[in-house]
Amino acid sequence: MTTPILLGISGSLRAEATNTKLMREAARLFGDCTFNEADLRMPLYDGDLEAAEGVPEPAQVMAKQIAEADAVIISTPEYNKAPPGVLKNALDWVSRVEGRPWTDKPVAVMSAAAGRAGGERAQMILRACMVPFRPRILQGPEIHLAGSSKEFDEVGRLTGEIYVRELTALMEALRAEIGR
């Protein structure tokens, strides 16, 4: 079997974002793979911009990364009880690219947030936003990393035994989903 390609998407742009750390921990626990990270820095979706200039290069790159990946990890923060606009914006732009890169793609969704629910609402809304794309979103185990700033050590590793166990199980399920 060839080495799987795993794409990580963090819904946060912050340099020390706990969602980026969670996404990278998921990739580490996934095991042997080629791991790539998507860049969500792209203009706000605007139909007039699309008509005048086409789909921007960053959205085309992300769509290509999704299409080439064997599986995708998305880690979202929760801003005002929903996923951040930058993540939804990237999904909207990718939906404008020719082809359907998300179709039947195995996807693991997770969240990390400062609050005690760990981004549960944002994750639920993100899952709903993904429905039109028809990926194969894993249903669990669910990862809602609460109080996320306290859950990583100085090198970005998860410290909570339960979180490590559940994230490992999710990555094992994602790896198994690739072969289906």
Side-chain angles (χ1 to χ4, degrees), residues 165-180:
R165 185 180 67 237
E166 293 299 298
L167 187 56
T168 299
L170 180 61
M171 290 301 98
E172 288 171 353
L174 185 61
R175 184 175 282 281
E177 193 69 22
I178 289 172
R180 290 186 171 190

Side-chain angles (χ1 to χ4, degrees), residues 25 150-153 157-164:
E25 270 294 88
K150 299 175 186 148
E151 294 297 332
F152 295 93
D153 66 16
R157 294 272 173 96
L158 272 173
T159 57
E161 182 180 320
I162 293 171
Y163 285 130
V164 171

Side-chain angles (χ1 to χ4, degrees), residues 27-42:
R28 182 182 70 79
L29 294 171
F30 181 88
D32 186 38
C33 68
T34 299
F35 179 61
N36 300 309
E37 294 183 19
D39 184 355
L40 303 184
R41 290 173 178 84
M42 51 189 80

Side-chain angles (χ1 to χ4, degrees), residues 53-126:
E53 300 177 22
V55 176
E57 181 67 23
Q60 292 178 40
V61 168
M62 186 172 164
K64 185 175 191 261
Q65 288 176 310
I66 294 165
E68 292 175 349
D70 294 300
V72 179
I73 298 168
I74 304 175
S75 188
T76 184
E78 185 170 288
Y79 298 162
N80 301 309
K81 308 295 182 192
V86 68
L87 179 54
K88 178 64 168 74
N89 182 62
L91 295 175
D92 290 341
W93 268 121
V94 168
S95 76
R96 306 302 297 164
V97 173
E98 287 292 321
R100 299 181 56 93
W102 287 109
T103 300
D104 209 33
K105 187 72 58 179
V107 177
V109 176
M110 58 198 64
S111 53
R116 68 178 187 260
E120 185 174 14
R121 285 188 186 173
Q123 191 177 135
M124 179 185 68
I125 292 168
L126 174 61

Side-chain angles (χ1 to χ4, degrees), residues 123-157:
Q123 191 177 135
M124 179 185 68
I125 292 168
L126 174 61
R127 289 169 179 271
C129 290
M130 299 288 296
V131 168
F133 309 138
R134 298 183 186 164
R136 293 191 334 253
I137 299 176
L138 276 66
Q139 297 306 306
E142 294 184 47
I143 307 297
H144 305 112
L145 189 63
S148 62
S149 65
K150 299 175 186 148
E151 294 297 332
F152 295 93
D153 66 16
E154 61 282 346
V155 295
R157 294 272 173 96

